[in-house]
Amino acid sequence: MYLAIRPGRPAAATVRGSVGSVKASPEAARLLDADDPLGAVRGAFALPDGVIYLDGNSLGALYRPVADRVAAAVGTEWGRHLVRGWNDDGWWSAPLRVGDRIGALLGAAPGQVAVGESTSVQLFNALTAAARMRAARPVILTDADHFPTDGYIADSVARLLGREVCRTRDPHEALRRRGGEVAVLAWPAVDYRSGELWDVAGLTSAAHDAGAVVVWDLCHAAGAVPLRLDADAVDLAVGCTYKYLNGGPGSPAFVYVAARHQAGLDQPLTGWHGHARPFAMEAGYDPAPGIARARIGTPPIVSLLALDAALDVFGLAGLDVIRAKNLRLGELFITCADELLHGLGFEVATPREPGRRGSHVALRHPDAYPIMAALVEAGVIGDVRQPDLLRFGFSALYTSYADVYEAVRILAQVTASGAHRDPRFSVRRTVT
Ligand SMILES: Cc1ncc(COP(=O)(O)O)c(C=O)c1O
């Protein structure tokens, strides 16, 4: 799946778009910024001076109005209204209200998305419920390179239900070979390492042809890639909200359950918030109708309200405009990498075709960790995925083309100067 960098120096390193063909140069980046319909939105984000932030694929930046919303949620709603906030401030209804707002970004009609818990918890619930929809089929088919939590949870669900996990890098081939046995295809929309965008519609359709259901992990797609969950007949999906949705560290995850599956959804985590009559305090579990049954326990309200405020920025910018800019940022990055990193031992590990890219670009280098540590010290924040990938995320709402050019220029400087060989950069810390 990883594509090697083209050998040698590319003949024409250009970025093509509405402003014409642009060279990988600071002037070209400035021209793209001048022509950027999202340029004005950047000022609404809190970005520290002297830092180029290319890690929104891990933790989105702070949309400034969120700070006031959190202050009000804590100071007024919690501080003054106390427990009355559940009704008077709409805390109880927030998971589904915010769910509908996220659903609008996923191509989902209202009433199919609930917010709460972590992605890992949502994944466990969704994957188990999906496997129960195909009780006679033994296989959970998943990506061999999936994010670790997805793999761990698939294994646990398989143990719990007496199924088997089949890991592959070629889902179409695996469906052809074992399709009749597959209960669930559990797949990422965007690969967290390489940034490859999978064909959600095509894979969903192939899984359905085999009689399986799908559970998509949308962590690296939600808020960056336009999705069409309803139109593509997706069954279930989960995702986090702290990356391109800018919900803040540890903001709650979401789960999408297609309306046609809701009545029969048999979840393992039958929490009281998903009960038909939660305040009747009944001894037995009777699931609520509709998406409300996908609720589990008490959600992290302050974090959920922060997320709610963060979503307002999508009222300023449509996902199509965001996607177009993300792709252009990625293309400029790759072009600059070809030009400026030539001969420094990097290769582009992300597909070059726009249709196969999410919103980050990964570079492979044997010294990925110390290079990134030195780069962060030089003011450019990206991250590393072991053993050898440097990741750079583009968030059209606040990343500028000048950021991209400068980041690659500084990366070239750091690497060429050997700054990363300083022993302090080999001391491994957590780099998210
Ligand atoms: C693709 C993917 N799935 C799942 C997760 C884990 O999510 P959580 O920590 O919210 O459980 C992540 C975290 O970055 C991720 O990138």
Side-chain angles (χ1 to χ4, degrees), residues 151-175:
Y152 306 153
I153 284 173
D155 286 337
S156 175
V157 170
R159 275 201 308 281
L160 210 61
L161 301 181
R163 313 286 178 96
E164 161 201 348
V165 176
C166 171
R167 290 176 160 80
T168 180
R169 291 265 60 209
D170 186 344
H172 289 287
E173 184 278 329
L175 283 169

Side-chain angles (χ1 to χ4, degrees), residues 118-121 146-147 149-150 192 217 219-220 240 242-243:
S118 66
T119 316
S120 302
V121 171
H146 214 326
F147 189 82
T149 212
D150 298 69
Y192 79 102
D217 181 332
C219 281
H220 288 267
C240 68
Y242 44 74
K243 300 181 190 293

Side-chain angles (χ1 to χ4, degrees), residues 282-327:
E282 295 169 13
Y285 184 73
D286 179 15
I291 191 65
R293 79 176 49 193
R295 300 178 64 151
I296 304 174
T298 304
I301 287 295
V302 175
S303 202
L304 183 52
L305 298 179
L307 167 63
D308 193 17
L311 294 174
D312 288 348
V313 76
F314 290 93
L316 306 176
L319 259 186
D320 287 343
V321 177
I322 289 172
R323 171 68 171 158
K325 181 177 170 189
N326 281 336
L327 283 178

Side-chain angles (χ1 to χ4, degrees), residues 196-215:
E196 175 165 9
L197 173 65
W198 288 88
D199 173 9
V200 174
L203 254 180
T204 299
S205 159
H208 287 171
D209 287 349
V213 291
V214 291
V215 176

Side-chain angles (χ1 to χ4, degrees), residues 11 57-58 73 78 84 87 109 138 141-142 145 187 199-200 232 234 264-265 300 316 326 364 367 379 417 430:
N57 53 309
S58 184
W78 177 19
R84 291 169 294 183
N87 290 320
L141 182 62
T142 196
D145 273 0
W187 215 261
D199 173 9
V200 174
D232 293 342
V234 166
L265 193 75
L316 306 176
N326 281 336
R364 182 175 290 115
D367 295 329
S417 70
T430 304

Side-chain angles (χ1 to χ4, degrees), residues 29-280:
R30 265 197 293 279
L31 274 178
L32 285 163
D33 281 327
D35 194 45
D36 176 11
L38 298 177
V41 179
R42 175 181 167 97
F45 284 85
L47 297 166
D49 289 340
V51 166
I52 295 177
Y53 191 62
L54 298 182
D55 210 7
N57 53 309
S58 184
L59 176 68
L62 170 65
Y63 178 51
R64 291 180 194 275
V66 171
D68 287 343
R69 182 68 189 92
V70 170
V74 173
T76 308
E77 298 182 11
W78 177 19
R80 297 170 65 94
H81 304 169
L82 291 162
V83 76
R84 291 169 294 183
W86 285 105
N87 290 320
D88 297 354
D89 295 309
W91 296 349
W92 181 266
S93 56
L96 303 193
R97 184 171 50 74
V98 178
D100 280 347
R101 298 190 75 193
I102 293 174
L105 300 172
L106 307 177
Q112 300 178 101
V113 177
V115 180
E117 325 294 335
S118 66
T119 316
S120 302
V121 171
Q122 295 290 8
L123 195 63
F124 174 74
N125 232 18
L127 201 51
T128 307
R132 285 172 170 171
M133 289 179 199
R134 296 290 183 273
R137 289 176 168 230
V139 172
I140 295 171
L141 182 62
T142 196
D143 182 3
D145 273 0
H146 214 326
F147 189 82
T149 212
D150 298 69
Y152 306 153
I153 284 173
D155 286 337
S156 175
V157 170
R159 275 201 308 281
L160 210 61
L161 301 181
R163 313 286 178 96
E164 161 201 348
V165 176
C166 171
R167 290 176 160 80
T168 180
R169 291 265 60 209
D170 186 344
H172 289 287
E173 184 278 329
L175 283 169
R176 273 193 301 277
R177 203 164 32 84
R178 301 195 65 180
E181 300 169 276
V182 176
V184 190
L185 174 76
W187 215 261
V190 175
D191 185 290
Y192 79 102
R193 278 191 280 223
S194 71
E196 175 165 9
L197 173 65
W198 288 88
D199 173 9
V200 174
L203 254 180
T204 299
S205 159
H208 287 171
D209 287 349
V213 291
V214 291
V215 176
W216 283 99
D217 181 332
L218 305 178
C219 281
H220 288 267
V225 178
L227 294 156
R228 307 178 339 136
L229 298 191
D230 287 353
D232 293 342
V234 166
D235 303 291
L236 296 152
V238 300
C240 68
T241 62
Y242 44 74
K243 300 181 190 293
Y244 299 107
L245 295 173
N246 308 310
S251 58
F254 64 84
V255 59
Y256 163 89
V257 183
R260 65 185 179 283
H261 290 308
Q262 290 172 3
L265 193 75
D266 184 5
Q267 304 182 114
L269 296 176
T270 46
W272 73 291
H273 277 232
H275 196 282
R277 294 165 299 282
F279 292 97

